[in-house]
Amino acid sequence: MAQVEVDVSRGLPCFDMVGLLSGEVKEARERIRVALRNAGIAMPVEKITVNISPAGIHKVGTAFDLPAALGIMATMGLVLEESLERVMIAGELGLNAQVKPIRGVLPMVMEAGRAGMEECLVPLDNMKEGMLADGPTVMGVENLSEAALYLGSGKGERAKQRRNALQKAEEKRKNGRQAREEKGPPDFCMIQGLEEAKYAAMAAAAGFHNLLFTGPPGAGKTMLAKCLPGILPPLTLQERREVSVIYSVAQRLEPDRLIKNRPFVSPHHTASPYALAGGGSVPRPGMVTLAHKGVLFLDEIAEFKRATLDILRQPMEEGKIFLAKGGGSFVYPADFMLVAAMNPCPCGYYPDRNRCRCSAWEVRRYLSRLSGPLLDRIDLFSPVRPVPLQALWEGEKNDTLTSAAMQERVLAARERQKHRYAGTAIQANGRLTGREVLQFCRLGFSGQQFLEKATEGGTYSARACHRILRLARTLADLDESGEIADRHLGQAVCFRQTEILTGI
Amino acid sequence: MDDFWLCNIKGIGKASIRKLIGKAGSAEAVRRLSDQEAEVLLGKQKADCLKKGLDEKREKNVRQAYERMREKGIGFWPFWGREYPARLQKIADAPSCLYVRGKGWEQEKKTVAIIGTRECSGYGREMAKYFAAGLAKDGAAVVSGMARGVDAIAQEAALAAGGSCAAVLGCGVDICYPPENRGLYDRLEKEGCLFSEYPPGTMPQAGLFPPRNRIISGLSDLVLVVEAREKSGTLITVDMALEQGRDVFAVPGRVTDACSRGCNILIGNGAGIARSVRQLSEELGVGFSPESGARQKKAQKKEASGYQEDGVLSVLDCDPKSADDILRDLRTQNGCTAATIEDLMQELALLCMEKKAYCRAGMYFRET
């Protein structure tokens, strides 16, 4: 919470703003001066000082225009000082004294509620967004005089004004750009064949495992990834708010409702590290944060710059990203599920030797663009081979797997996990650490023997074993089995041996 | 030392060396040839080159080079020497000398050259392994070019089977090219043999590789082409082999496989069809071991009964298939309409653990 203080004192007439302000905040002086004049208010011909405290924190954005202007009006007696008590005010001013929308209203109102504020005065366009916070009462104003009028009114009058404002806001929305209907993700039944990949997607959704699809161009990797949010469990109210806050800060929230669908963020492979992590001296949320509680889809992951991909390590480990920037250090949530897709070689067709002439060395070099630490955090590897035309025409008979049916199984598996991890901080199987794996993924005698046999080749490290166990736990949950049976271990090993670097 | 000197005179090529040796009998004698004799034999220009080669300063350089080579343990076989492979001696443009590294070369052993494309398919890989290991066990030596793909796979299989194996390089014998075959190079140095006609330290260059193919075919009694594309370097070797009068066999492939097109064309043009190790062993005249005979019988029995195993193994072959392909085949060919991906994946994991099937790049196959 920032506090805007205004002082008018004798001295040479001037208007100063202090408090570690960035360019756009300092420019508020001109906006306020002209807006006040156009609202028919003459600025006092005295020395005006505006201080925004705490003065040690870098401030950005245009939300300070309205509180500063109202502060000046208060020193002139146009607004009662008492009426500003316990009110959070934010808004940008136009030269004609209009109040324009700003970003981040939802978290502002939530924070105001926590700080004990009773009322929030925000731009009319942001009023409905502010009301989503379910916190203090929110009033939307269209111009400076409306704000002054509201602050000058009694309790009953204020309620009436709020009702009017809400009506106006709704009308304005209706006349303006229609809110885009949130389109759900495509359905898995639109994809024929590819049962292995679908099973992998279902396991990923059930345990929140990271997933990598490899295959030639046009095999359906992108389509599979796009379908994935459709089988994830729906967001809870708490999660919806969390995600909406992020989108509000990024100014990407539809004004009158919380985010409903799980985010699906798919940055282009030319994205810079800052685009992914969040850039700016007070950083805007990056892609990893926008994908919070949803899917971060990196198509053609091998084409991303190494530096960009290495950004992912911390968020994948901790579910949040720490940013040290000019404006201070920030912690943003970034608990996403990574879904990546890539070709198996530079030309894309390996191991189809009729089309691919990349040498083994080229293939290996292409695959090694993914660093080991990143691969270590991916539990599921799924090769996607193109479905032969013949099978496409005939339509596969066993192909009745719809997103709804898959989601049902995912939900059941999640329910089992919730039950198992009750009282711990663990959210899903995919988030188990090494020690927790040993605690929760116990094997029976035959399971131990099976795993020993599987690791006899000596190709599996301890970490790889943990990943197999973690995945086997999810597969058992999908199978509604309390214990990890051999079949689950077998399937997990099978997913493991399709790891991209095996045997090339 | 004198031999080395003769082979490393600037301006004196294979043909001139042959003439000189033919006249003088040995390199030492060549040094004592008078200017007139040399001029009559080689013409004025070349004789001058020979004279310059006798220059003291140059001789010193050659001596140093020779000592460096000995230090590295590289052998030097001039074509008039005893060690020089007899088969190679007979070809038209035999190299004037060979630089050798490794255990040595058994003259009397029957030799097969196994060659093929660098970017081979799973089938090519399996066939290269099958023939190389089988023939090596039957006592034939395997020669190839240590290139990526078929060459390296065949040589590795031959070494693994305990057979003798040689590689002919297109660069100096002290240089490993391609670098990823380092393991194979080291193994050949210990257990096999490395040849090159280029002096040590020669870097790999595109122009040097086609001429070494004539040595590969020249060293061998029989040339086996495992996989070749329509326009392929492998076919150059085949041309040379035919010029040298070697038998050429090709492994047949499917019409639709680009990698087998060259082989099928060769067969169309009259090359032999490589059907089994046994057939080639007979062709080469090497005694096939009882062990391989038993193996053969077993394989034949297996073939006759159409693969004993039921289920997943029955739809697997050496052509890699994805899990989805296998599932589709199970449903359509074997009538297991109830097969699920879950069961299949568990089964595949088991088969891979038992080494009955293998997984590469997400595709499954079995060995022949």
Side-chain angles (χ1 to χ4, degrees):
Chain A
M1 281 305 273
Q3 207 169 357
V4 182
E5 301 165 340
V6 182
D7 176 71
V8 177
S9 60
R10 297 218 171 157
L12 281 177
C14 72
F15 183 3
D16 269 328
M17 291 184 78
V18 295
L20 202 59
L21 311 177
S22 67
E24 72 268 28
V25 187
K26 278 187 187 149
E27 283 166 2
R29 283 188 304 193
E30 295 309 314
R31 287 196 293 271
I32 292 168
R33 196 198 304 278
V34 179
L36 282 175
R37 198 183 63 218
N38 284 343
I41 299 161
M43 289 266 279
V45 193
E46 276 168 301
K47 183 177 167 68
I48 305 169
T49 311
V50 173
N51 176 39
I52 305 179
S53 71
I57 294 176
H58 196 72
K59 287 163 204 80
V60 293
T62 51
F64 299 107
D65 296 8
L66 186 60
L70 285 169
I72 293 171
M73 287 167 75
T75 63
M76 296 162 67
L78 296 169
V79 174
L80 281 178
E81 266 185 54
E82 301 80 68
S83 66
L84 294 174
E85 292 266 316
R86 301 199 169 280
V87 181
M88 195 281 291
I89 303 169
E92 177 184 329
L93 277 180
L95 295 185
N96 55 358
Q98 269 211 323
V99 178
K100 294 181 173 173
I102 53 170
R103 63 190 180 95
V105 166
L106 178 62
M108 274 183 210
V109 175
M110 287 167 88
E111 181 59 33
R114 277 193 285 271
M117 298 285 146
E118 279 158 9
E119 269 193 278
C120 296
L121 205 59
V122 297
L124 186 68
D125 291 329
N126 296 120
M127 183 176 179
K128 296 197 78 175
E129 181 188 330
M131 289 167 73
L132 296 176
D134 224 8
T137 47
V138 178
M139 168 64 187
V141 291
E142 226 179 352
N143 54 46
L144 196 55
S145 42
E146 246 179 54
L149 181 71
Y150 181 78
L151 290 171
S153 317
K155 227 177 181 181
E157 191 65 16
R158 282 189 181 192
K160 198 173 149 199
Q161 283 181 21
R162 276 202 298 274
R163 271 199 302 281
N164 287 343
L166 191 59
Q167 213 170 359
K168 220 190 310 177
E170 255 157 27
E171 252 166 50
K172 205 169 162 190
R173 267 213 79 62
K174 241 177 250 162
N175 299 336
R177 187 172 58 91
Q178 281 293 317
R180 265 177 295 118
E181 212 26 63
E182 264 188 88
K183 222 171 72 184
D187 197 295
F188 267 112
C189 70
M190 287 160 70
I191 303 172
Q192 283 192 354
L194 302 186
E195 291 183 43
E196 190 185 9
K198 283 185 192 173
Y199 188 44
M202 188 153 68
F208 227 64
H209 298 281
N210 299 316
L211 170 64
L212 174 65
F213 290 119
T214 47
K221 304 182 295 292
T222 309
M223 185 68 176
L224 280 163
K226 282 190 175 149
C227 290
L228 223 158
I231 60 168
L232 284 167
L235 289 168
T236 63
L237 189 62
Q238 164 79 25
E239 286 173 330
R240 287 177 67 182
R241 255 200 207 117
E242 243 174 83
V243 176
S244 299
V245 163
I246 294 166
Y247 277 73
S248 166
V249 173
Q251 228 172 0
R252 281 170 60 170
L253 191 65
E254 294 287 345
D256 45 359
R257 57 169 169 243
L258 291 173
I259 297 273
K260 195 176 98 200
N261 290 333
R262 292 222 175 233
F264 181 82
V265 181
S266 120
H268 189 250
H269 60 72
T270 52
S272 69
Y274 304 107
L276 231 60
S281 80
V282 174
R284 290 196 168 211
M287 294 293 183
V288 293
T289 306
L290 289 175
H292 183 58
K293 296 290 169 202
V295 173
L296 178 69
F297 175 50
L298 301 184
D299 206 354
E300 306 301 348
I301 189 171
E303 303 292 343
F304 277 82
K305 281 203 261 338
R306 190 82 176 238
T308 310
L309 290 180
D310 281 344
I311 291 287
L312 297 173
R313 291 199 206 170
Q314 188 190 38
M316 283 171 85
E317 194 89 318
E318 304 181 21
K320 47 193 151 189
I321 185 161
F322 294 84
L323 298 165
K325 299 277 182 174
S329 43
F330 301 82
V331 184
Y332 286 168
D335 185 17
F336 57 85
M337 177 176 146
L338 178 73
V339 179
M342 68 186 288
N343 296 140
C345 71
C347 81
Y349 290 100
Y350 184 85
D352 178 1
R353 282 310 194 182
N354 281 336
R355 304 181 74 168
C356 169
R357 297 199 58 175
C358 302
S359 70
W361 181 68
E362 280 172 313
V363 175
R364 206 174 298 135
R365 195 174 58 163
Y366 188 77
L367 297 178
S368 66
R369 291 192 192 176
L370 303 191
S371 65
L374 184 67
L375 283 177
D376 263 344
R377 288 167 176 78
I378 297 176
D379 287 346
L380 274 162
F381 295 89
S382 172
V384 182
R385 308 302 314 172
V387 180
L389 270 183
Q390 187 67 20
L392 271 183
W393 293 143
E394 285 171 4
E396 306 221 332
K397 289 180 196 78
N398 297 44
D399 229 28
T400 48
L401 213 54
T402 61
S403 281
M406 285 163 82
Q407 194 184 28
E408 209 170 291
R409 287 183 67 184
V410 168
L411 285 175
R414 279 286 175 110
E415 202 52 46
R416 288 183 155 271
Q417 293 171 48
K418 209 189 270 174
H419 193 67
R420 181 174 329 119
Y421 303 132
T424 66
I426 304 162
Q427 291 169 339
N429 294 333
R431 297 286 178 266
L432 289 175
T433 60
R435 187 183 293 262
E436 289 160 351
V437 165
L438 297 181
Q439 186 185 346
F440 289 107
C441 308
R442 294 262 165 97
L443 290 182
F445 181 66
S446 82
Q448 277 175 14
Q449 270 188 327
F450 186 94
L451 195 62
E452 255 165 46
K453 203 166 145 203
T455 52
E456 234 162 54
T459 49
Y460 295 138
S461 62
R463 201 205 292 258
C465 277
H466 287 164
R467 283 149 71 196
I468 289 175
L469 283 173
R470 216 155 44 196
L471 186 57
R473 185 63 263 173
T474 300
L475 296 174
D477 284 337
L478 270 178
D479 203 24
E480 298 186 5
S481 155
E483 288 208 347
I484 301 177
D486 287 2
R487 51 183 272 112
H488 308 127
L489 273 174
Q491 289 161 20
V493 169
C494 196
F495 272 124
R496 184 83 214 131
Q497 65 200 3
T498 51
E499 209 216 284
I500 50 171
L501 288 168
T502 307
I504 288 168
Chain B
M1 170 56 209
D2 289 331
D3 298 336
F4 184 76
W5 164 79
L6 183 57
C7 291
N8 282 286
I9 300 175
K10 210 171 159 192
I12 304 284
K14 285 192 285 274
S16 308
I17 293 174
R18 279 191 172 219
K19 277 185 203 158
L20 284 170
I21 291 291
K23 169 94 181 168
S26 75
E28 207 191 347
V30 170
R31 294 176 78 103
R32 290 195 301 270
L33 279 181
S34 71
D35 292 356
Q36 273 154 338
E37 277 173 314
E39 209 173 313
V40 169
L41 207 61
L42 305 173
K44 174 120 185 53
Q45 223 177 349
K46 293 250 166 99
D48 281 349
C49 289
L50 185 64
K51 212 170 148 194
K52 273 186 200 159
L54 281 164
D55 185 70
E56 234 174 74
K57 211 168 152 196
R58 283 182 193 230
E59 261 212 84
K60 205 177 144 200
N61 286 344
V62 170
R63 192 179 299 276
Q64 278 170 354
Y66 182 72
E67 272 156 19
R68 271 202 304 276
M69 184 182 86
R70 303 296 318 188
E71 270 166 33
K72 283 185 185 171
I74 297 170
F76 178 78
W77 297 355
F79 89 94
W80 55 90
R82 259 186 313 113
E83 292 149 311
Y84 197 86
R87 270 189 297 274
L88 190 59
Q89 227 162 15
K90 287 183 195 115
I91 69 169
D93 51 351
S96 52
C97 63
L98 284 178
Y99 297 89
V100 191
R101 212 167 197 190
K103 217 171 69 173
W105 178 251
E106 292 165 74
Q107 290 269 18
E108 62 284 358
K109 232 178 185 180
K110 290 286 183 184
T111 307
V112 58
I114 300 184
I115 54 174
T117 181
R118 282 192 294 274
E119 299 90 24
C120 61
S121 68
Y123 172 69
R125 185 187 298 266
E126 290 311 312
M127 285 298 115
K129 268 192 215 163
Y130 164 69
F131 280 110
L135 289 171
K137 267 189 193 143
D138 287 354
V142 174
V143 181
S144 196
M146 213 180 86
R148 302 179 177 115
V150 169
D151 284 17
I153 293 163
Q155 289 177 306
E156 255 158 26
L159 283 175
S164 47
C165 180
V168 184
L169 306 184
C171 52
V173 276
D174 52 345
I175 290 169
C176 173
Y177 183 85
E180 66 256 40
N181 286 346
R182 186 86 228 177
L184 176 61
Y185 178 90
D186 289 344
R187 211 167 158 195
L188 277 168
E189 203 190 331
K190 267 193 231 103
E191 303 165 35
C193 190
L194 292 155
F195 288 121
S196 173
E197 64 169 317
Y198 306 113
T202 308
M203 298 307 281
Q205 285 159 35
L208 300 183
F209 285 85
R212 66 99 192 248
N213 290 350
R214 78 180 194 282
I215 309 178
I216 297 179
S217 55
L219 279 171
S220 52
D221 300 284
L222 186 152
V223 173
L224 174 63
V225 185
V226 173
E227 265 193 332
R229 285 166 205 268
E230 207 167 340
K231 283 177 189 154
S232 159
T234 307
L235 299 186
I236 299 177
T237 314
V238 171
D239 283 342
M240 289 172 170
L242 292 173
E243 271 172 33
Q244 295 160 1
R246 308 287 188 249
D247 288 335
V248 174
F249 280 78
V251 178
R254 286 190 299 201
V255 174
T256 48
D257 283 357
C259 294
S260 288
R261 210 157 286 161
C263 288
N264 290 343
I265 290 172
L266 282 178
I267 292 168
N269 290 344
I273 300 179
R275 294 192 309 272
S276 67
V277 170
R278 187 196 178 96
Q279 170 214 2
L280 289 188
S281 292
E282 274 169 10
E283 204 72 45
L284 271 172
V286 288
F288 50 93
S289 58
E291 187 200 348
S292 81
R295 214 155 39 108
Q296 203 64 38
K297 257 183 210 154
K298 205 169 132 197
Q300 271 170 358
K301 205 171 148 197
K302 216 157 136 192
E303 231 154 275
S305 61
Y307 286 141
Q308 291 280 319
E309 304 87 346
D310 306 305
V312 179
L313 264 188
S314 66
V315 294
L316 277 178
D317 51 36
C318 64
D319 193 28
K321 286 178 178 176
S322 72
D324 284 312
D325 292 335
I326 298 167
L327 195 62
R328 197 173 300 116
D329 288 348
L330 277 177
R331 283 173 188 160
T332 52
Q333 291 173 15
N334 288 23
C336 311
T337 43
T340 62
I341 187 79
E342 285 95 331
D343 292 336
L344 175 64
M345 288 186 66
Q346 187 207 353
E347 187 84 4
L348 283 171
L350 274 173
L351 287 174
C352 287
M353 269 158 61
E354 289 163 6
K355 299 257 178 280
K356 283 183 183 161
Y358 297 86
C359 177
R360 177 176 299 128
M363 312 272 268
Y364 297 87
F365 61 96
R366 57 185 282 176
E367 281 191 338
T368 38

